[in-house]
Amino acid sequence: MSEETPGFDEKPEVPTGAGADDAAAEPKTADSSKEKSAAPAGDVSADVALLAQLDQARTALGERTADLQRLQAEYQNYRRRVERDRIAVKEIAVASLLTELLPTLDDIGRAREHGELVGGFKSVAESLETAAAKMGLQQFGKEGEPFDPTIHEALMHSYAPDVTEDTCVAILQPGYRIGERTIRPARVAVAEPQPGAAPKSEAAEADAPSDKDADAPDEG
């Protein structure tokens, strides 16, 4: 009688709880699939939030840039205004100083006309006139120029047959200007056309022989 190998008929022992673990593993796999499907939705939300932050940053940058440009424009306007005011104040100060010197310059001019500008007085007078010219002072007013009420002051009036418009025939006191600004008009004597006199051009045309007279044959 052969010996039987013990243990062949015995069923292997199954650890307690193994089936329960396998059963529990299946829902876990389902949950992981759910997490995988929910992950893209979270990424989309994060992208939307980042885009919103980027738009806010761009808006803030645009506002700051506009503020900076506005501030820069205001500063440039301020600099131009200050420079313009500085130049105006300087011109007013120079004009005020030169206006006080005009009587002295008039005395120098009269002395020169009478031949009294000699010696050391002549040197001082010329130095003063040169300094005034460097500061921008210009003298104007000449005999024979048309009368302009904006730069001339008429102190005397007369009639003259040889003028066709109001003309300065004598400069009683020269005028002075600084650049385009007149600080004293020229005081002049003005001659007006003779009342009833024909303009010079018309008189010349009347005196000139006509073509008809030139072509006419001599009589006799």
Side-chain angles (χ1 to χ4, degrees), residues 77-106:
N77 292 334
Y78 169 76
R79 287 187 57 185
R80 284 194 291 266
R81 185 167 59 252
V82 169
E83 182 66 16
R84 185 172 59 250
D85 294 344
R86 185 186 67 81
I87 294 174
V89 169
K90 180 181 178 181
E91 290 178 350
I92 292 173
V94 171
S96 177
L97 173 62
L98 294 178
T99 300
E100 296 296 328
L101 292 177
L102 293 185
T104 303
L105 296 176
D106 291 337

Side-chain angles (χ1 to χ4, degrees), residues 4-220:
E4 295 179 0
T5 304
F8 282 100
D9 295 335
E10 295 178 359
K11 295 182 180 180
E13 295 181 358
V14 179
T16 306
D21 293 339
D22 294 338
E26 295 179 358
K28 188 173 182 181
T29 304
D31 294 339
S32 62
S33 62
K34 290 182 179 180
E35 291 178 357
K36 291 181 181 179
S37 61
D43 293 341
V44 171
S45 300
D47 292 342
V48 172
L50 289 175
L51 290 175
Q53 293 177 0
L54 181 59
D55 291 339
Q56 292 177 357
R58 287 176 177 173
T59 302
L61 178 61
E63 293 176 353
R64 299 299 178 271
T65 303
D67 293 341
L68 181 60
Q69 292 175 347
R70 183 166 54 253
L71 182 62
Q72 185 176 8
E74 291 176 357
Y75 177 68
Q76 293 296 334
N77 292 334
Y78 169 76
R79 287 187 57 185
R80 284 194 291 266
R81 185 167 59 252
V82 169
E83 182 66 16
R84 185 172 59 250
D85 294 344
R86 185 186 67 81
I87 294 174
V89 169
K90 180 181 178 181
E91 290 178 350
I92 292 173
V94 171
S96 177
L97 173 62
L98 294 178
T99 300
E100 296 296 328
L101 292 177
L102 293 185
T104 303
L105 296 176
D106 291 337
D107 293 338
I108 292 173
R110 283 190 289 267
R112 183 179 286 111
E113 291 176 358
H114 292 86
E116 300 175 357
L117 199 63
V118 295
F121 178 58
K122 178 180 180 181
S123 177
V124 173
E126 290 177 350
S127 298
L128 180 60
E129 290 176 337
T130 301
K134 287 182 178 179
M135 298 178 70
L137 185 66
Q138 300 175 357
Q139 180 178 325
F140 66 90
K142 295 181 180 180
E143 294 182 4
E145 63 185 7
F147 174 73
D148 185 353
T150 61
I151 60 174
H152 297 137
E153 181 181 354
L155 300 182
M156 298 176 61
H157 289 84
S158 61
Y159 295 99
D162 57 343
V163 298
T164 58
E165 59 180 346
D166 294 351
T167 305
C168 300
V169 294
I171 306 300
L172 307 178
Q173 197 174 49
Y176 290 95
R177 66 165 64 96
I178 300 176
E180 299 297 327
R181 179 181 179 182
T182 301
I183 61 175
R184 191 183 75 181
R187 291 163 182 170
V188 300
V190 180
E192 301 177 11
Q194 192 74 27
K200 189 174 182 180
S201 59
E202 295 181 2
E205 291 178 0
D207 294 338
S210 63
D211 296 339
K212 185 177 180 180
D213 296 336
D215 296 339
D218 295 337
E219 295 180 358

